[in-house]
Amino acid sequence: MQFLLAFVVVAPLLGALAALLPAPPGLKGRSPDQAVLRHGVTVTGAVLVATLVLAAGFDHDQPSKMQATTDISWIPALDVRIHLGTDGISLPLLVLTALLTFLCALYSYFKLPAGPSAKGFVALVLVLESGTLATFAVLDLILFFLAFEMVLIPMYFLIARWGGDRKQPAAWKFVLYTLLGSVVMLLGLLLVGLKSGTFDMVALATDNGRGLTSSVQVIAVIAIGVGLAVKTPMWPLHSWLPDAHTAAPTVGSVLLAGVLLKMGTYGFVRILLPVAPDGMETFAPYLAAFAVVGIVYGSLACLALARPGAKGDLKRLIAYSSVGHMGFVLLGIATMTPTGVNGALFANIAHGLITGLLFFLVGAVKDRYGTADLDTLSGATGAALYGRAPRLGGLLAFAAVASLGLPGLAGFWGEMLTLFGAFDPAEGLSRPAFLTFMAIGASGTLLTAAYMLIVVRRVCMGDPRAARPGTSGPGTDGTGADRTTGSADGPVGTGTPGSTGTPGSTGTPEDAGRPEGADTGGTSPGAPGTQPQPLADVQGYELAAWTPLAALTVLAGLWPAVLLGLTDPAVQKLLSGGKS
């Protein structure tokens, strides 16, 4: 178990170094790009298997106990240690990270984003995976900070080099926001470590703030909380997120929403709640207030983008929806109750599954139409995915209703539990204030339903013919979407025999290394008065990448005890000062 956890953290980093080396003879495949993409799938697959074995070997009877621990002295002068371990709080996040990274590597094998080189892309994704896994596995404050910062550079280059329109400003905005927040967070972590005499997160949690004065705890919560809030992102520190998601390639958006945002909320639960309980109690009402403002603000922004004539980008809309969903996570944490914190952790996992699937699907829609602009997609007759690509339309509708919190799917339980936690917050918190926050948060669920259903109606419904005689022209698909213009993920071409997007094709290894969006085979240019061909429906490699997310969304919705059985004992112990 110790070896497995260390392997899970270190293997992607070693794989990134190997990706930059020439492929050994016999493993080069048909091209260097195919070889390195195959390497990425192999390494992320091995990490996923190791993570699943780690989860299978985990003692589920004692989920509150740190397991698979490694504790080695690293910097004796500062008492900084290489301390790794996992419990019921971090294990689901480790599995989610390994799963999403593997699915992104598999998707990229058939649909590589247009950019400088496949080697650089694979190496950056693997470094990103290593940093994220390390964040959820380390138990030392200094190591946590190093892992927390490790993901910034690879994500910056994924956006800046493989992104779309306005990728450079979006990448710089992402780095500047997160770096400034991290500088303040480092000061808070150093304050905690120096005042308590240790950087060990387990020892600090067991001490439960008794070694820190109330004023030190308040300062620590402000400093550390700012850095975590930027990464979450919490309103009003969220403005980097929509730009980053809009410019990022599809897999970049999936990883950013699916795992990177969870690093901030994980820090609130793992560090601030047990280490500085008095400081958290002081700022919990303010955190809850920012959270519910984010819920409503994100929903209203999505409604504004979804309305006709707003020229709203579908990727940008999903990004704003993340601000609202992460608001529910922060609200659950702010209640400082087992119910609320369990709801926050459940919502974390649900958001990773559902929003990861949504970004995959939106990327597929953008590839097929050449645009993610809602007005262009809806056009005069509607994008009509139900009629033109029924499986793609059905999956998009499924992900949308899962995101709005439909009972029976994963999104429901996290939101419900956080609202229950706000109904009866921890002792010392104002119940009338949290009842108000609960009511505002509940209204956000209605707004979420409104904009998601509008998106489904505009994108999935309409005339399946997509064009009437005399309305289609060269380079269009009858909805106004220009089939010859470039998209944020690469130029969009027209279907040719044997392409990845030819209707009915499933994607084969021969397609490996083809730039994302380079050939989607949706419709071919036709002369005025001709009917366009149907869009390519879900292909084999897309089905392989999306099915696990859809299946786990249903499983978590129908059987929430699987996840709650892991998190609840660990949360109870965390909130009680290390006592089971």
Side-chain angles (χ1 to χ4, degrees), residues 381-397:
T381 60
L385 279 181
Y386 286 154
R388 303 187 67 195
R391 290 190 292 275
L392 179 60
L395 276 171
L396 182 61

Side-chain angles (χ1 to χ4, degrees), residues 138-149:
V138 298
L139 298 172
D140 184 275
L141 291 180
I142 300 300
L143 282 183
F144 176 86
F145 176 78
L146 294 177
F148 196 85
E149 295 303 293

Side-chain angles (χ1 to χ4, degrees), residues 484-518:
T484 62
T485 58
S487 72
D489 295 327
V492 177
T494 58
T496 58
S499 70
T500 58
T502 303
S505 69
T506 58
T508 63
E510 286 76 7
D511 302 320
R514 181 167 294 156
E516 180 179 323

